[in-house]
Amino acid sequence: MRKIAKLAMTAMTVLLVGGTVSTTASAATWHKGTPKALRGKYQGKRTSSVQGFGPAYTFTAKKFDISESNMPDQLVTQLKYKKIGTHLYRLKGHMAKSGFVLGGNMDYAVYRKGKTFAYTGYSYHKKHGFSKYDYAKKVNHFKDGGAILH
């Protein structure tokens, strides 16, 4: 009878102590790579008829690629991120020098909800948010041409 009482007491103690231990994960900490919610391809609309295609963005686990018509590719690597709001992430990384695009450290605010995507510089976002911004849509493959924004 004493064995059963001791086992019951031990089981209750384990359940009580195990239930009060909190997890160590925090949204305020920096994580390596890109969040799974952002990974994929996104394409915006053209802003003029001289553009061959709208801006194209590609997120993989370790890099962020920005392709705009008539511009060199911009590749951002060494990424780290933290969640700063609902559907909103702060993404830091290093952009490689490519053509007339100077390299350096980059700091972005990135929004993704459903198939809608937007990004801007973090310091700009703190002052203005995503106002007057052209949003991109998630796509399976990039298209040439397409609608023009007015």
Side-chain angles (χ1 to χ4, degrees), residues 1 16 28 38-39 47-48 54 59 65 78 88-89 107 138 145:
M1 191 62 142
L16 288 174
L38 293 179
R39 294 180 193 165
T47 55
S48 72
F59 281 94
D65 187 28
Q78 301 172 12
L88 188 61
Y89 299 90
D107 192 2
K138 188 164 185 154

Side-chain angles (χ1 to χ4, degrees), residues 1-50:
M1 191 62 142
R2 282 187 165 180
K3 283 185 177 182
I4 294 173
K6 283 184 180 182
L7 282 173
M9 192 63 132
T10 304
M12 287 178 49
T13 304
V14 168
L15 288 174
L16 288 174
V17 172
T20 60
V21 175
S22 65
T23 60
T24 58
S26 172
T29 60
W30 288 95
H31 307 281
K32 287 185 179 181
T34 59
K36 288 182 181 179
L38 293 179
R39 294 180 193 165
K41 297 177 181 182
Y42 305 90
Q43 188 168 22
K45 293 185 178 181
R46 299 185 304 156
T47 55
S48 72
S49 58
V50 272

